[in-house]
Amino acid sequence: MEEKLISVIVAIYNIEEYIQRCVDSIRSQTYSNLEIILVDDGSEDGSGRLCDDYAAKDGRIRVIHKANGGLSDARNAGMELARGEYIGFVDGDDWIEADMYRAMYEACERGKAQIAACRYKQITKSGMIDGSAGNSVLLSRAEALEVYLCGDERYLIYNSVWSKLFARELIADMRFPVGKNSEDIMFTTRAFCRMERLAYLDTAYYNYVLDREGSIMNEKAGERRLRDEIPFWREQIAHLREQGMAELSDKAAYHFYRRLLFYYLDFMEGKQTRCFALEIVRQLRADRDSIRRIYKKDYVTAGDRVRMRLALWLPGLYYRVVKLYDRYVIPLRSGG
């Protein structure tokens, strides 16, 4: 049986030193029926020239040169050009294992799944983190959404589009929101709501490079969380309800409120981000009625109920209690 064409879209912006590792890993795939779309998003270094060099020596490679518009805009440009029956995404500073697209394609075809998702390795300056178990499983839409929204230690189904392979028919009319960060949240959510089945591969075929330089919680990161991430999480909750998935919407809201508490603690750690912590408290208090309704659900833990009540009542005290707990109780429990 003839293998179907897979379009792989790579957004590239000023990553000259990483392009060879990334593109070579795609060219070396054991699944060869690929269309590799390199989108030069207005690079100011030698990235665009390297893209053209690759196109000259590999007929599967197509290059788009465009004015800088950000990651979403670059991916959208690639989707407009893509001809494959499946579409995948790779970030230009990452790389993939040789069997990634063959394994994901065969899992989709075998299970009649519209999306395949794989685990990924986290590459840091201190080493590599890989929690692969090597097994695979076919999940229904409801099962996959439950894992995606609520988490499950058996699987790692993340927002990222780069850890997935999508059937073209599923996402043909979808695009990424231009000018936003955390754009994968809603793209993945909408795709999951449309699919019938997902093939999950618990093998880390994707190598995700984490930038560990500097503080993770700086003022710019805080602004991105408030401007982009939080609105997308809220949009996700609303979209699930619109799709008739009220219980999943409530579960998504529960995990969103837990995430807000984490953000609050994180923002309280830096003097420049204390104002963001105050905004988190304002949002939590504005959602008090929703929180009270959802936190009565059976799946909400007793500990989470206590934490939320304290955070809503006296957020400063909540922060100090957590700091004391981390400093004294956790070391005692771990035998330290």
Side-chain angles (χ1 to χ4, degrees):
M1 183 181 295
E2 183 178 356
E3 293 180 330
K4 297 175 182 177
L5 180 67
I6 296 176
S7 295
V8 182
I9 298 168
V10 186
I12 292 168
Y13 177 68
N14 290 349
I15 51 169
E16 183 177 9
E17 61 184 303
Y18 302 109
I19 287 177
Q20 181 176 353
R21 181 180 65 186
C22 175
V23 178
D24 283 351
S25 73
I26 302 172
R27 294 178 66 213
S28 301
Q29 290 291 294
T30 57
Y31 191 93
S32 60
N33 192 19
L34 301 175
E35 172 188 59
I36 305 169
I37 302 174
L38 306 181
V39 185
D40 170 27
D41 190 37
S43 296
E44 297 170 344
D45 61 1
S47 296
R49 175 183 51 79
L50 288 173
C51 290
D52 290 335
D53 290 345
Y54 269 111
K57 60 185 178 183
D58 191 330
R60 299 175 299 172
I61 294 178
R62 307 170 74 187
V63 179
I64 301 173
H65 296 286
K66 59 180 289 297
N68 179 252
L71 178 59
S72 290
D73 197 46
R75 286 175 172 171
N76 290 343
M79 289 182 71
E80 292 291 341
L81 196 66
R83 299 172 300 190
E85 294 187 56
Y86 286 94
I87 295 177
F89 301 89
V90 177
D91 284 355
D93 51 353
D94 299 331
W95 76 98
I96 61 179
E97 299 298 326
D99 290 333
M100 175 170 163
Y101 283 120
R102 175 165 294 284
M104 297 176 89
Y105 169 79
E106 290 180 351
C108 282
E109 291 289 299
R110 183 171 57 248
K112 292 182 171 53
Q114 294 77 41
I115 302 177
C118 69
R119 190 176 278 272
Y120 61 91
K121 300 185 189 79
Q122 296 182 40
I123 311 298
T124 70
K125 294 185 183 299
S126 57
M128 177 189 71
I129 302 171
D130 180 2
S132 298
N135 57 303
S136 61
V137 63
L138 195 64
L139 300 174
S140 68
R141 174 175 54 197
E143 291 169 334
L145 277 166
E146 182 85 20
V147 173
Y148 171 56
L149 297 168
C150 306
D152 188 314
E153 62 183 16
R154 296 170 298 173
Y155 315 113
L156 179 61
I157 301 180
Y158 190 57
N159 300 312
S160 62
V161 296
W162 38 252
S163 59
K164 299 172 181 66
L165 182 66
F166 300 90
R168 178 193 180 87
E169 61 183 9
L170 193 74
I171 61 170
D173 62 340
M174 290 172 50
R175 293 296 181 269
F176 294 90
V178 177
K180 299 287 186 179
N181 291 290
S182 304
E183 58 282 320
D184 290 6
I185 293 172
M186 279 310 300
F187 192 96
T188 296
T189 298
R190 291 180 188 278
F192 274 31
C193 287
R194 293 179 172 193
M195 72 182 177
E196 295 179 10
R197 284 174 293 278
L198 177 138
Y200 176 72
L201 307 174
D202 200 47
T203 301
Y205 289 113
Y206 193 97
N207 296 284
Y208 173 55
V209 179
L210 281 171
D211 181 8
R212 292 294 188 181
E213 293 183 2
S215 172
I216 190 170
M217 185 36 59
N218 55 37
E219 190 170 358
K220 190 174 181 181
E223 289 174 353
R224 286 199 300 269
R225 280 183 172 174
L226 291 174
R227 183 186 66 240
D228 298 328
E229 273 193 40
I230 290 175
F232 278 136
W233 293 125
R234 291 189 179 279
E235 185 179 349
Q236 179 188 75
I237 294 165
H239 183 73
L240 290 165
R241 191 165 294 278
E242 290 166 2
Q243 296 298 308
M245 305 176 186
E247 189 63 21
L248 276 175
S249 176
D250 282 350
K251 287 183 178 181
Y254 168 45
H255 288 277
F256 167 65
Y257 292 132
R258 294 183 71 204
R259 186 177 286 111
L260 287 188
L261 288 185
F262 168 77
Y263 287 173
Y264 171 76
L265 295 172
D266 219 9
F267 287 144
M268 287 292 289
E269 291 297 301
K271 292 181 180 179
Q272 291 182 323
T273 57
R274 292 288 176 92
C275 61
F276 301 144
L278 295 176
E279 172 58 19
I280 295 297
V281 172
R282 187 199 67 76
Q283 291 197 28
L284 284 169
R285 286 176 171 169
D287 286 5
R288 194 188 298 264
D289 290 344
S290 175
I291 291 171
R292 284 173 174 165
R293 179 181 64 81
I294 290 168
Y295 271 59
K296 292 177 182 177
K297 302 279 188 176
D298 292 341
Y299 49 76
V300 178
T301 67
D304 278 343
R305 292 190 181 103
V306 171
R307 282 185 281 271
M308 182 57 75
R309 280 198 295 268
L310 183 56
L312 287 170
W313 181 44
L314 290 172
L317 178 60
Y318 167 67
Y319 171 70
R320 290 191 291 274
V321 168
V322 171
K323 294 294 288 185
L324 289 171
Y325 184 87
D326 290 347
R327 184 174 180 179
Y328 296 108
V329 179
I330 290 180
L332 285 174
R333 286 188 169 183
S334 61

